Amino acid sequence: MKKILFTALVALLLGVNCVTASALEKSENISKEDEEIMEYINIYYLIQNGELYSNDYDISNHMYATQKDVELYRQYMSALSNNNARASSGYSKYFNSSKWITRNGVVSLSINFKGSALYPNDLPAANYAVAKTAFQELYKKHKSSSKWKHTASMEAQFLCHHMTIGKLKNPWNLEPHRTETDLGKVIAKGCNP
């Protein structure tokens, strides 16, 4: 991720904006957690801008997420955490229902979501925070099921649906037998790789 950030900053220096030495120094000090948050938020930007994202996609020339986005994400996560602590059920805030189904011999968790709750606005940082929070609520509800497996892959499938086809398709189906956790690969394979 540091290489990606550095490449994006060099591109900005050469063409679009003037970047100061302090900005370059800040990019060197980004934590691993912030890098991951920026990467996910950047995917929201790419999809929102109509740019194709796949595992082979050269993201180095398409870096939109900034440290400010990370700060916004943290603010939204904090607010969502406070709201969910006061609410009687965080799950029902985001979902109408979810149930285990079998399609063509494949077990899936079929999720019927509340669109207005999962997509509060067009800010990538806000939508990512909501998606992370909603997935945690889904996990809490279903983690004790013997059908729940491969949590990281299920989360990648959930985020993929949320980032891509989500607003156009309800319900979403998460398949616990899947093991891929790389979000780029999950997106490239249509959310259920």
Side-chain angles (χ1 to χ4, degrees), residues 113-142:
F113 64 91
K114 295 180 179 177
S116 60
L118 279 185
Y119 298 96
N121 57 46
D122 288 332
L123 296 174
N127 287 327
Y128 177 51
V130 167
K132 291 288 283 186
T133 303
F135 181 78
Q136 286 307 309
E137 295 299 328
L138 190 69
Y139 171 73
K140 283 190 252 180
K141 180 166 178 71
H142 293 284

Side-chain angles (χ1 to χ4, degrees), residues 80-115:
L80 289 167
S81 176
N82 291 337
N83 287 340
N84 285 347
R86 288 191 302 264
S88 59
S89 174
Y91 170 86
S92 63
K93 176 179 179 179
Y94 302 107
F95 304 103
N96 294 312
S97 65
S98 56
K99 63 183 178 181
W100 294 103
I101 63 169
T102 302
R103 298 182 308 158
N104 301 324
V106 176
V107 172
S108 297
L109 180 58
S110 187
I111 303 161
N112 185 301
F113 64 91
K114 295 180 179 177

Side-chain angles (χ1 to χ4, degrees), residues 34 37-38 41 45 64-81 120-130 133:
D34 285 1
I37 293 167
M38 287 177 75
I41 293 171
Y45 276 118
Y64 300 110
T66 66
Q67 194 64 37
K68 183 175 179 170
D69 289 304
V70 173
E71 293 165 15
L72 281 170
Y73 167 79
R74 291 191 193 294
Q75 290 171 6
Y76 279 106
M77 287 299 286
S78 177
L80 289 167
S81 176
N121 57 46
D122 288 332
L123 296 174
N127 287 327
Y128 177 51
V130 167
T133 303

Side-chain angles (χ1 to χ4, degrees), residues 25 27 29 33 47 94 125 143-144 157:
E25 288 171 19
S27 71
N29 297 324
E33 180 182 6
I47 292 169
Y94 302 107
K143 69 181 179 179
S144 62
Q157 292 174 62

